[in-house]
Amino acid sequence: SGIVDQIIDAHHQVYNLVSGALGPDGGSGGGDAAGGGAGYGGGIHQKEIDLTPDELEELANGGGGSYDDENMKSPLEGMAEQVMGDIFHGQVGPQTPLEHLDAFRSAIQWTEPLIVALLLFQLIMFVVTVYTIRRGNTTSRFGLLVSIVVIVRCTERFNEYCGGRWEDLATQNYFDTNGIFVLLFVALPLLGDCVLMVIGFMREASALLVEVKSMELKQKQKKKKEEEQ
């Protein structure tokens, strides 16, 4: 309904512009053709075209390549283009980050196999990461961390490969040249898993540091007691 209202407003703008250009004399037009012609001529000042004899001969021979096409345009064309440009200028795309996010969410077909497989892969990687942080040893943690880094490093080639075969993988081409889809669905979640692992390492390091400091204090207290005795 908003676009319809804008088109109606555009129609009124064109009508007002034409009425203003024709003027009151052009609107009445008189009773004869001469009067109508004079009224139209007084309202819209047509461009005077000065042509040299060579240009006239070229036009007579059918070659109008050197003639400026803008001189043949009606004044109403410029008015209509300006009004329609104002209409479509108001139909802008997403502006805020939330609008961009909503547009991206609407463009994804969440039920197709590719999207479901990527979501399941990220869920499995998250569960494995959490389990490794809680129960795994140092070797398994570093192995998982290196594996994630290798996968993230290969996302660019993965995007190029899938971009050439997207018809076999999905209903639309998600693999743009900028790699936004692969970044959001592959790289960023895996980097989030890496952050979780780094946080786990830092917590363990801080716990070990506290344990070492407490052992040092106990040893100092024990030494002090032995010296007093």
Side-chain angles (χ1 to χ4, degrees):
S1 60
I3 298 178
V4 174
D5 294 337
Q6 291 182 358
I7 294 176
I8 294 174
D9 293 338
H11 175 269
H12 289 303
Q13 292 180 22
V14 173
Y15 177 78
N16 293 332
L17 289 171
V18 173
S19 301
L22 292 176
D25 295 336
S28 59
D32 51 5
Y40 180 81
I44 299 178
H45 300 284
Q46 296 180 344
K47 296 183 179 179
E48 296 183 359
I49 304 173
D50 296 331
L51 299 177
T52 62
D54 295 335
E55 293 174 340
L56 290 174
E57 184 177 357
E58 184 177 357
L59 288 174
N61 294 331
S66 62
Y67 182 71
D68 189 3
D69 292 337
E70 292 183 358
N71 293 326
M72 298 295 294
K73 286 185 178 181
S74 170
L76 297 180
E77 283 189 38
M79 299 176 189
E81 289 177 0
Q82 180 181 0
V83 173
M84 295 305 294
D86 293 338
I87 292 175
F88 289 108
H89 179 71
Q91 304 297 322
V92 295
Q95 297 295 320
T96 63
L98 290 178
E99 291 178 354
H100 282 283
L101 182 62
D102 185 66
F104 178 81
R105 181 183 59 80
S106 301
I108 300 296
Q109 299 291 333
W110 296 96
T111 57
E112 63 178 317
L114 174 66
I115 305 300
V116 175
L118 288 175
L119 293 177
L120 286 176
F121 169 74
Q122 296 299 342
L123 179 61
I124 292 171
M125 290 299 297
F126 177 76
V127 172
V128 170
T129 301
V130 173
Y131 179 82
T132 306
I133 291 173
R134 293 185 175 181
R135 302 292 180 87
N137 53 24
T138 305
T139 304
S140 61
R141 293 176 186 176
F142 273 107
L144 180 61
L145 185 61
V146 171
S147 301
I148 291 175
V149 171
V150 171
I151 294 174
V152 173
R153 183 66 182 83
C154 295
T155 51
E156 184 177 357
R157 293 184 180 180
F158 174 75
N159 184 66
E160 293 176 359
Y161 177 82
C162 295
R165 297 166 178 80
W166 66 269
E167 294 179 352
D168 300 331
L169 302 172
T171 57
Q172 56 182 326
N173 188 7
Y174 296 108
F175 307 96
D176 59 307
T177 55
N178 296 323
I180 302 299
F181 174 80
V182 175
L183 176 67
L184 293 177
F185 276 81
V186 180
L188 283 182
L190 292 177
L191 290 176
D193 296 337
C194 288
V195 171
L196 289 178
M197 296 187 69
V198 170
I199 293 174
F201 282 129
M202 293 178 63
R203 289 183 61 184
E204 286 191 359
S206 62
L208 288 174
L209 182 61
V210 171
E211 186 177 352
V212 169
K213 290 296 183 182
S214 63
M215 289 178 64
E216 288 180 357
L217 289 174
K218 288 180 180 180
Q219 287 180 357
K220 286 182 180 180
Q221 291 177 356
K222 186 177 180 181
K223 224 183 238 190
K224 188 176 180 181
K225 289 179 179 180
E226 289 177 355
E227 290 176 356
E228 290 177 355
Q229 292 177 355

